[in-house]
Each structure stands twice: as structure tokens, then as C-alpha cells.
Amino acid sequence: SDNGFCQKLWKTFDKHPRFKIEPRKPTSFCIIHFAGNVSYDTANFMDKNMDELGELLRQALTSSGNKFVRHIMELRSQREAEAQLASGAPVKAARSKLKPNTVSAEFKRQLENLMTKMASASPHFVRCIKPNPEKLPDKYNRQVVTEQLRSGGVIEALCVQRAGYPCRWLHQECWENIRIVFKLKQ
């Protein structure tokens, strides 16, 4: 159950310095990240994260050379067929080629879309900075933002750049600055 899952986490990580228990919320816990505390709620966690086997994985397991794995897949197929018969739904000869629409499948689809957009835009880097712990618009907490920038190495990079060291030179700029060191044939 969701509560049992949370209690197991509490027992496993209660002494960990980055794990914080929220005793007033029996299905919650907190992880202390470099950018701040993040609270998690396990309510409906088990339901939301139930993921079905993808079609390719199902085929690979069914055609496995290991007898034990094949036997498990046969039992699973029998249980699925029995469940379909009990529900009155027609038994399908082959599983649909469409991937199931689970939370994990949706997350993967969204991540692939994001990666496609990023690849087309060719950004140098992406940093997400929370302007305030409450995540409210038009509210800027300087201390929270500075801590995130420091943790991400941005402050140190700026210090290096301000000290006069180049962050990036174009090839031509670099050559202009170091060619004096080389003997060139005229």
C-alpha cells in the first residue's frame, strides 16, 4: 500500500542526513537536495506508477531461451486471459501494438519531445532556477536564487571570467592571441 511504502522509506532512510520525515503527514517525506528541500507524497503512488510491460519486452521474455522466464510469461498470459473472460471482454489473439498509456509512458513521451526541441534549438546549457520556495509568480528570493547558482557552479564560473580568464574563444580569436608563440614561415 502507499502508506506501507512510505513507512518502509521512513525505516530505511530515517538516519540519512538528506532524508527528512514529516510526522504530521503519514504518506509524506522530504529529500534535502542541493537546491532546497523537496517534499514527496506517496498517496496513490502505487497506482500512478503501475507500468505494463512494453510489447517488445513482452516478446523478448516470451521467446526467452530460459525455461523459467518462459513459464512465468505463460502464467501471466493465462491470468490475463482469465481476467478478460471474467470481465466479459473478448479475448484478443495478440496484444495491441499500441504502447499502454501509463504515467511512465507519458513521462517518456514528454521527455523525448523536450529533447527534440532542445536538439533543434542547440542550447549551450539549461538551468532551472526556482525564484522562491513557494513557486509564486513575481516573487524573487535573492538568497534562494544565489544558493542555487552557487550549487550549480555559475558563481564560480563568473568569478573565473571576471578574473580575466576567457570562458570561450572562437577559433580565430584564440589563434590571434597565441600565434606569436609559433614561428611562421613567411
Side-chain angles (χ1 to χ4, degrees):
S1 73
D2 298 326
N3 198 9
F5 173 66
C6 189
Q7 297 301 319
K8 189 182 236 182
L9 289 173
W10 284 16
K11 287 177 186 173
T12 306
F13 299 108
D14 67 339
K15 303 283 187 222
H16 196 282
R18 297 206 174 268
F19 188 83
K20 187 168 128 185
I21 294 172
E22 298 185 6
R24 292 183 185 166
K25 299 176 184 175
T27 60
S28 295
F29 61 93
C30 184
I31 303 289
I32 303 166
H33 292 282
F34 70 91
N37 295 351
V38 179
S39 294
Y40 295 92
D41 190 354
T42 61
N44 300 321
F45 183 82
M46 304 300 268
D47 295 334
K48 286 189 268 185
N49 291 294
M50 292 293 284
D51 201 354
E52 298 179 24
L53 290 176
E55 186 61 29
L56 290 176
L57 180 58
R58 182 185 297 272
Q59 289 174 1
L61 291 173
T62 304
S63 62
S64 171
N66 187 310
K67 292 179 184 178
F68 179 69
V69 173
R70 277 198 320 267
H71 179 69
I72 290 173
M73 292 306 293
E74 288 169 9
L75 290 175
R76 182 182 171 107
S77 296
Q78 288 173 358
R79 286 189 184 147
E80 287 176 353
E82 290 169 3
Q84 282 182 344
L85 284 175
S87 69
V91 178
K92 296 178 184 175
R95 194 146 171 96
S96 171
K97 295 281 182 192
L98 296 175
K99 292 184 179 179
N101 191 16
T102 62
V103 172
S104 299
E106 180 65 17
F107 175 76
K108 183 179 177 188
R109 186 188 63 74
Q110 289 175 352
L111 187 60
E112 286 170 350
N113 288 343
L114 176 63
M115 294 305 290
T116 302
K117 285 180 185 177
M118 287 177 64
S120 68
S122 64
H124 294 290
F125 60 86
V126 174
R127 281 199 172 64
C128 298
I129 306 292
K130 291 192 317 186
N132 59 68
E134 299 84 21
K135 300 177 195 166
L136 296 173
D138 302 323
K139 185 178 176 190
Y140 178 81
N141 184 321
R142 183 182 178 130
Q143 185 179 1
V144 169
V145 171
T146 303
E147 182 58 36
Q148 292 175 71
L149 291 172
R150 184 170 285 114
S151 297
V154 176
I155 301 293
E156 288 77 14
L158 289 173
C159 290
V160 167
Q161 188 175 17
R162 284 182 183 161
Y165 297 100
C167 277
R168 291 195 177 171
W169 279 347
L170 296 175
H171 186 301
Q172 186 63 33
E173 289 175 297
C174 180
W175 177 245
E176 301 272 331
N177 283 293
I178 66 167
R179 73 179 182 181
I180 196 166
V181 176
F182 298 98
K183 272 190 171 180
L184 297 176
K185 293 181 181 177
Q186 300 290 352

